[in-house]
Amino acid sequence: MERTVIQVIATMMVFLTLGFQPVFSQVELTRTGCGTTKFCLEDPDKCNPAVNTTPCLFGSAKATAFNSLTGIDLTFELSGNSTGYIALGLTQDASVGSTMLFVCAQNSSSNGTFFFKTMTLHNVNKTLTSQDKNVTGIQNSVVGENIKCKFSVSNLNATAQTRANADTTFSVVIGSGQLNGDTLGPFNLARNSGPLDLSVFLPNSTTNTTAPPSGANRPLYSNAVLPLLSFLTLSILKFA
Ligand SMILES: *[C@@H]1O[C@H](CO)[C@@H](O)[C@H](O)[C@H]1NC(C)=O
Ligand SMILES: *[C@@H]1O[C@H](CO)[C@@H](O)[C@H](O)[C@H]1NC(C)=O
Ligand SMILES: *[C@@H]1O[C@H](CO)[C@@H](O)[C@H](O)[C@H]1NC(C)=O
Ligand SMILES: *[C@@H]1O[C@H](CO)[C@@H](O)[C@H](O)[C@H]1NC(C)=O
Ligand SMILES: *[C@@H]1O[C@H](CO)[C@@H](O)[C@H](O)[C@H]1NC(C)=O
Ligand SMILES: *[C@@H]1O[C@H](CO)[C@@H](O)[C@H](O)[C@H]1NC(C)=O
Ligand SMILES: *[C@@H]1O[C@H](CO)[C@@H](O)[C@H](O)[C@H]1NC(C)=O
Ligand SMILES: *[C@@H]1O[C@H](CO)[C@@H](O)[C@H](O)[C@H]1NC(C)=O
């Protein structure tokens, strides 16, 4: 009996340690894969988001799947110092139309609490309007001025935004801005990649699926948590 209790407590501790550890872990971004498995854009050129001593606004985009009927799935990384927000945008042409802007921000009136927003940036008059987008797997860390985030967006289609014939060709932009109370101040563009076919960053094994997208909303830590859950269940069964 005593042994079983100890076993259950030990199991609980393993569960707590392993199960909850990822939730509190910081987002760590590196240049690994830049130019081969992910597209990277940074200001200044080639700066490293893992090094905090010099200024570095860094954005990356990795294609995870492409479906010719619905579009491309992308995972993004963003890092930079700001007391307001940093943002990554996708646009067909940064001089006309609009930019889909993904914003990672810290709220200085709430102890630097992280928040995420999707916006439309009107490229001509530079105004920002709120725009809902399905973003999944948002991870973040805010340390002092440094904001880092990671997120995924499914079914992006360049031609659904404006008329063009290149579905996976976007210009990627990165920049930052301040917060004026609860509203986002003007977006200050730092870099614009120019038109870029993001499908070249698809993993070789997953190119050209035409099947309907699946598993896009997979829970983040299912791989780690499932074995732990069964382990825990087994121990409880044993206890009973
Ligand atoms: C993108 O949208 C356009 C128009 O809505 C459509 O013709 C095209 O097939 C779509 N492409 C992809 C890759 O989803
Ligand atoms: C703000 O953060 C500091 C440092 O982590 C902490 O000591 C303080 O209690 C926090 N204040 C609020 C209102 O959360
Ligand atoms: C900016 O441009 C957009 C798109 O053309 C338009 O809908 C919006 O009303 C404009 N906003 C201002 C403040 O001019
Ligand atoms: C977001 O995803 C849900 C379920 O996957 C879907 O029903 C909804 O239409 C999506 N919303 C947008 C704005 O794409
Ligand atoms: C960025 O912010 C972090 C955390 O506040 C700080 O340690 C670092 O010195 C800052 N980097 C630059 C280049 O200002
Ligand atoms: C920032 O925090 C303040 C104080 O908690 C809150 O009133 C405000 O709505 C927050 N702003 C945003 C954009 O989340
Ligand atoms: C795909 O395979 C080619 C040739 O082996 C390689 O050069 C390229 O880096 C690979 N791309 C990705 C995204 O893995
Ligand atoms: C994917 O398949 C379609 C039709 O089967 C073809 O037109 C297209 O070029 C292929 N794309 C890639 C990236 O292989």
Side-chain angles (χ1 to χ4, degrees):
M1 176 66 192
E2 211 173 11
R3 238 182 87 189
T4 325
V5 170
I6 289 167
Q7 214 163 26
V8 169
I9 289 169
T11 309
M12 287 296 277
M13 285 174 75
V14 167
F15 179 74
L16 288 173
T17 317
L18 294 184
F20 285 90
Q21 187 250 338
V23 178
F24 295 123
S25 71
Q26 298 286 297
V27 177
E28 288 184 14
L29 306 186
T30 68
R31 294 192 54 86
T32 307
C34 280
T36 54
T37 59
K38 65 187 185 190
F39 169 73
C40 299
L41 185 66
E42 59 292 281
D43 180 36
D45 261 353
K46 303 273 193 292
C47 72
N48 187 347
V51 176
N52 233 346
T53 47
T54 50
C56 181
L57 180 62
F58 172 92
S60 83
K62 184 181 191 139
T64 55
F66 174 71
N67 178 310
S68 57
L69 299 174
T70 55
I72 193 164
D73 296 358
L74 297 170
T75 293
F76 298 98
E77 298 174 323
L78 190 57
S79 168
N81 275 24
S82 172
T83 53
Y85 71 89
I86 55 177
L88 181 148
L90 294 178
T91 182
Q92 195 73 46
D93 179 343
S95 61
V96 297
S98 62
T99 301
M100 227 185 294
L101 202 63
F102 304 101
V103 174
C104 293
Q106 63 168 314
N107 185 347
S108 55
S109 24
S110 177
N111 228 1
T113 313
F114 175 86
F115 66 92
F116 185 89
K117 252 180 166 349
T118 50
M119 307 290 289
T120 295
L121 168 69
H122 301 288
N123 291 337
V124 177
N125 62 21
K126 311 288 182 209
T127 57
L128 287 166
T129 49
S130 209
Q131 160 91 70
D132 280 344
K133 276 269 180 293
N134 271 349
V135 178
T136 54
I138 301 171
Q139 290 174 265
N140 73 86
S141 93
V142 176
V143 179
E145 285 197 3
N146 191 251
I147 305 172
K148 292 191 199 304
C149 59
K150 226 178 143 163
F151 51 94
S152 301
V153 190
S154 297
N155 302 332
L156 287 166
N157 179 343
T159 51
Q161 276 226 306
T162 50
R163 212 136 24 125
N165 52 20
D167 294 322
T168 56
T169 298
F170 293 94
S171 289
V172 180
V173 299
I174 51 171
S176 61
Q178 291 305 314
L179 292 177
N180 304 323
D182 273 358
T183 57
L184 299 185
F187 173 70
N188 301 309
L189 176 79
R191 287 293 156 111
N192 174 359
S193 69
L196 178 80
D197 184 359
L198 289 173
S199 71
V200 304
F201 296 99
L202 276 168
N204 283 329
S205 55
T206 64
T207 31
N208 233 349
T209 50
T210 45
S214 66
N217 300 318
R218 225 178 324 135
L220 217 49
Y221 300 116
S222 57
N223 285 355
V225 169
L226 281 182
L228 277 165
L229 278 178
S230 42
F231 185 39
L232 186 65
T233 311
L234 279 176
S235 307
I236 287 169
L237 284 178
K238 201 173 166 195
F239 180 64

